[in-house]
Amino acid sequence: MAPFILRFFALLMLGLPGVCALMAQEKGGLPMAVEIQETYEKGYRNLDGTPGEKYWTNTADYTFDVNLDLEADVLEGKGKITYTNNSPRRLSQVVIRLGQDLYKKGGIRDFQARLSQLHDGVRINRVAVRGEEVDLSGAPAQRAARRPRFRQSGTNIFLRLGKSLPSGESVDIEIDWAYDLPDGGVQRQGKYAENAYFIAYWYPEIAVYDELDGWDSRNYSGTVEMYHDFSNYEVNLTVPDQVFVWATGLLQNPDEILTNEYLQRFQQAGRTDEVVRIVTTEDLNKGGILKKNGRNTWRFKAREVPDFAFAVADSFLWDGTSVEVAPGRRVLVDVGYRQGARWYDEAAEIARLSVKDMSEKLPGVPYPYPQVSVFNGAGGMEFPMIVNDGRVRGRQDLIDLTYHEIVHTYFPFYMGINERKYAWMDEGWAQLLPNDLIRELEPEGGDPMIGNSFSVASYAGREEDLPLMTPTYMLRGQAYGIHSYTKPACAYYILREELGDELFAKCLQTYIERWHNKHPLPHDFFFTFNEVSGRNLNWFWRAWFFEATVPDLGLKEVVIKGKKALITVEKVGATPIPIHLTITFEDGEEMTIKRSVSVWEDGKKELQFKEKFAKPIKKMTLGSSAYPDKYRDNNSWRPSGS
């Protein structure tokens, strides 16, 4: 080691107590990174979980005309973005995302792609700011200028505005672009059959500018997902006249697209709880569904949504229904699916029941948008008012997938969660919340929590098992899945048991109400649940979210004296989980003893309790398939001699 390096480390060690104190600073009784502390100190957020007096978010209005050439597999778009600066700072530039540059040749991706899926990137043909044309060559704007007005780097454009944008004012940006649609199924989108596409990440989008990080200019490499501001969209999609379109937003001109019989079916679907078969196989064979104009323009509008996606197909079936989510307000639910797709003839009804369940039970907030479409593409991916769902193994799988993707409406859409950093803030809910409806509709299907708890237990304690507060963009592979989906689902499940359904729902609904159309941070979630529940849950947050510990309970000792038993349960691992003890008697009858997770709140390592039994005991078994427990070989007890 070089001498100057040694001196550096010596100085660092001398100052280490101060450094550690800084990193360990807390607010509201929880560890908090220094940059997050500043957002609370400056009044953007409050320690009771509410937005601060100075909180703000920026917004945009997108008006686009899009032409889809399905023979050449090319998307061409042009239009205007009106960006409003609600921040307290003047902005000299904007950052524009080009999500399709994920497939640009030579780009950095978290996955391997086939050569046929790659292209030359998004072609930006024109940009104008406040009506002034921008030089796209990358040359400095003036001879003396150090930086060009237009610069592409990775999946971002850095566009200098010329005249800076003051707080409270807006700027108009005109932009024309085109790109080649990737071949086949690609990350969260793709071409699934001839003239059947799910199209996402397709438009130049203003990145989020927030009080924590400024511009979100991290490149999109394929793993991490959403972080968007709330915007309004008017999108006109021009496609061949044999093609159907499903999209974010409400279709504004169905009468210009659908012939009379199918227009009536479409409109009827928006008025009834019954499933309407808008387009059947017989209809496709017969034809005459869409008006023949050579090319049709489908016009969609959406307000206060964080993104826009759409899908097209010319040979899919189309079902529709609707559900009343609040007095006098119905939500249109429709499904476009392949002919012969197993179980999808039930998808519209399952989607309707999902929207009803999440509106009335958990989260218990009426579905906030006027419609939702399910498109039978591939995998499972959510976008506002439209989801991309692939093949399923059975009815339970379809319920889980449909509910999972639609409940993302609340997390991260209705609440603008930063999935790039905190995917557990939305994926954990989407992993948990479908379970009640699954149990109701498929009672013989087994406990949906088993897979979650098993994966968490098997992964706990490994090198890659990092605290949930680790930024998501630092994770890959299995670590990403456990961290984002199954571990938070287990934490929420245990927390729901601890608080009870009514209080848990009240906490969750308050959190949603406070932070819809805003960007909550993890601490806003923690502090809201503390404040609304009237309990200090920091012991739970620390163990499950700030530490990488192991869930492991052990049945340490059982002392039987006559009909009385003294039972000692040991918390071997540091992660708190509830006690679930099954007593099996000699005659085969069973009983269960439960203790909530809060028995570990005070940090104790053992819990002793007495029980009285009327019959001889055959065995005792600690644990439940719904709770992760790393080592189960310490979970059983039998009387001596048995």
Side-chain angles (χ1 to χ4, degrees):
M1 185 178 288
F4 77 93
I5 297 290
L6 288 171
R7 288 196 297 271
F8 170 79
F9 276 103
L11 290 171
L12 180 63
M13 293 304 292
L14 286 173
L16 194 57
V19 172
C20 289
L22 179 65
M23 294 300 290
Q25 282 182 0
E26 297 187 357
K27 282 190 176 295
L30 290 173
M32 189 179 289
V34 291
E35 63 267 38
I36 295 177
Q37 292 175 37
E38 292 178 1
T39 72
Y40 287 88
E41 292 166 356
K42 292 180 179 180
Y44 298 128
R45 301 166 191 271
N46 298 322
L47 294 177
D48 63 357
T50 57
E53 186 176 311
K54 297 181 180 179
Y55 184 81
W56 52 269
T57 58
N58 289 348
T59 60
D61 293 277
Y62 296 88
T63 305
F64 289 146
D65 293 312
V66 178
N67 182 70
L68 209 58
D69 185 338
L70 300 185
E71 292 185 3
D73 279 346
V74 172
L75 181 149
E76 298 174 318
K78 64 179 181 179
K80 182 176 72 172
I81 307 169
T82 300
Y83 183 68
T84 301
N85 177 22
N86 296 314
S87 82
R89 310 177 188 111
R90 298 179 72 92
L91 300 179
S92 61
Q93 70 167 353
V94 295
V95 176
I96 300 176
R97 294 175 178 158
L98 298 178
Q100 283 299 325
D101 273 356
L102 177 67
Y103 303 101
K104 187 174 182 178
K105 296 172 184 175
I108 297 175
R109 288 172 288 277
D110 298 332
F111 56 90
Q112 289 186 332
R114 300 191 307 273
L115 185 60
S116 63
Q117 295 173 329
L118 303 182
H119 50 59
D120 293 326
V122 179
R123 301 182 290 277
I124 303 298
N125 300 318
R126 175 179 178 267
V127 175
V129 178
R130 301 186 182 95
E132 178 187 352
E133 300 291 324
V134 173
D135 181 2
L136 304 181
S137 68
Q142 300 173 0
R143 185 171 297 177
R146 295 182 179 180
R147 289 180 287 183
R149 287 197 65 181
F150 179 92
R151 177 172 65 90
Q152 283 189 244
S153 177
T155 56
N156 294 315
I157 293 173
F158 297 86
L159 178 64
R160 300 188 65 76
L161 298 175
K163 177 185 174 184
S164 63
L165 180 62
S167 175
E169 295 191 13
S170 302
V171 62
D172 287 341
I173 301 169
E174 298 169 60
I175 190 163
D176 296 2
W177 77 99
Y179 71 89
D180 300 329
L181 297 170
D183 179 58
V186 292
Q187 191 82 332
R188 306 186 176 106
Q189 57 181 310
K191 179 179 181 180
Y192 304 120
E194 191 67 25
N195 294 336
Y197 304 74
F198 193 97
I199 298 178
Y201 307 99
W202 57 273
Y203 63 98
E205 179 199 23
I206 307 291
V208 175
Y209 181 82
D210 64 25
E211 89 287 357
L212 182 61
D213 298 315
W215 285 108
D216 176 26
S217 57
R218 184 169 286 107
N219 284 323
Y220 173 51
S221 57
T223 298
V224 297
E225 298 181 27
M226 305 285 187
Y227 189 37
H228 309 273
D229 276 325
F230 294 87
S231 302
N232 301 319
Y233 293 84
E234 293 188 24
V235 180
N236 304 319
L237 298 165
T238 299
V239 297
D241 63 9
Q242 78 273 19
V243 168
F244 305 104
V245 180
W246 298 265
T248 298
L250 277 179
L251 178 61
Q252 301 297 299
N253 61 334
D255 57 317
E256 297 176 8
I257 303 293
L258 297 167
T259 57
N260 189 55
E261 179 181 355
Y262 300 95
L263 175 63
Q264 289 183 18
R265 293 185 193 177
F266 175 75
Q267 292 172 336
Q268 175 63 14
R271 296 190 294 261
T272 179
D273 290 349
E274 302 299 319
V275 174
V276 177
R277 308 295 182 184
I278 300 172
V279 175
T280 66
T281 298
E282 182 182 353
D283 297 323
L284 290 172
N285 292 334
K286 182 175 61 176
I289 303 167
L290 301 171
K291 292 185 176 179
K292 295 301 179 183
N293 300 311
R295 297 181 70 78
N296 286 331
T297 298
W298 299 61
R299 305 183 189 279
F300 292 90
K301 285 186 180 181
R303 294 190 55 79
E304 296 184 345
V305 295
D307 196 11
F308 190 105
F310 65 97
V312 303
D314 64 356
S315 59
F316 274 32
L317 308 181
W318 188 2
D319 294 345
T321 182
S322 62
V323 55
E324 187 175 60
V325 299
R329 186 166 77 83
R330 297 191 74 86
V331 169
L332 172 66
V333 180
D334 65 348
V335 180
Y337 59 103
R338 311 163 201 254
Q339 299 179 65
R342 197 172 180 200
W343 301 105
Y344 268 85
D345 59 334
E346 296 187 45
E349 174 63 10
I350 287 170
R352 189 189 74 81
L353 291 173
S354 298
V355 172
K356 180 178 176 63
D357 188 82
M358 60 187 70
S359 298
E360 296 178 352
K361 297 177 182 177
L362 283 176
V365 174
Y367 182 88
Y369 303 135
Q371 64 89 219
V372 61
S373 295
V374 176
F375 183 78
N376 176 212
M381 184 60 196
E382 70 280 1
F383 295 90
M385 298 191 233
I386 185 169
V387 301
N388 184 9
D389 287 352
R391 292 182 176 89
V392 293
R393 297 183 297 271
R395 188 169 184 263
Q396 179 168 328
D397 195 23
L398 179 63
I399 298 166
D400 192 11
L401 178 63
T402 303
Y403 199 119
H404 178 112
E405 303 307 342
I406 295 177
V407 82
H408 276 303
T409 296
Y410 300 91
F411 327 90
F413 300 145
Y414 193 52
M415 310 169 72
I417 289 165
N418 186 351
E419 273 193 281
R420 294 181 170 217
K421 280 188 173 183
Y422 318 112
W424 58 265
M425 291 182 71
D426 80 297
E427 295 292 359
W429 293 114
Q431 194 75 3
L432 173 73
L433 292 177
N435 292 348
D436 287 353
L437 188 63
I438 291 172
R439 294 186 186 101
E440 178 184 333
L441 299 181
E442 292 287 313
E444 304 301 321
D447 187 350
M449 281 301 297
I450 292 176
N452 295 318
S453 62
F454 177 80
S455 67
V456 171
S458 62
Y459 203 72
R462 295 174 57 177
E463 285 184 308
E464 294 179 352
D465 181 25
L466 300 172
L468 285 178
M469 290 296 288
T470 304
T472 306
Y473 59 78
M474 298 176 67
L475 305 171
R476 294 292 183 271
Q478 188 178 8
Y480 171 81
I482 303 293
H483 182 282
S484 303
Y485 293 79
T486 58
K487 188 172 182 179
C490 286
Y492 299 150
Y493 179 83
I494 292 170
L495 182 64
R496 177 182 177 182
E497 281 196 346
E498 172 63 25
L499 297 179
D501 286 352
E502 185 176 345
L503 182 55
F504 181 81
K506 181 180 179 182
C507 292
L508 184 57
Q509 289 157 11
T510 303
Y511 168 56
I512 293 172
E513 179 184 354
R514 288 175 173 180
W515 289 97
H516 79 84
N517 284 15
K518 301 178 180 68
H519 300 305
L521 294 176
H523 290 80
D524 302 316
F525 163 63
F526 303 142
F527 294 155
T528 292
F529 267 65
N530 284 357
E531 192 263 341
V532 176
S533 70
R535 293 180 55 179
N536 185 341
L537 297 167
N538 289 349
W539 59 275
F540 185 84
W541 308 132
R542 280 178 176 275
W544 274 94
F545 293 85
F546 290 87
E547 300 169 1
T549 54
V550 173
D552 181 24
L553 297 184
L555 193 52
K556 184 176 182 180
E557 186 178 43
V558 178
V559 178
I560 302 288
K561 291 185 178 180
K563 295 183 178 181
K564 296 181 180 179
L566 180 64
I567 302 167
T568 303
V569 175
E570 181 182 11
K571 184 160 76 79
V572 182
T575 305
I577 56 177
I579 293 172
H580 187 283
L581 184 64
T582 302
I583 316 298
T584 304
F585 298 102
E586 291 284 1
D587 63 3
E589 186 181 347
E590 290 186 348
M591 69 171 288
T592 302
I593 298 171
K594 297 181 180 180
R595 297 289 186 273
S596 75
V597 70
S598 60
V599 298
W600 311 116
E601 180 176 352
D602 60 3
K604 66 168 67 82
K605 298 296 184 182
E606 292 183 359
L607 181 71
Q608 240 180 25
F609 53 93
K610 297 177 181 179
E611 293 290 336
K612 189 174 181 180
F613 304 108
K615 296 182 289 187
I617 296 171
K618 181 179 180 181
K619 65 177 179 177
M620 294 186 184
T621 307
L622 184 65
S624 163
S625 60
Y627 309 137
D629 194 330
K630 180 72 175 178
Y631 302 107
R632 296 191 180 257
D633 54 359
N634 58 0
N635 287 15
S636 297
W637 174 88
R638 289 177 180 270
S640 58
S642 63

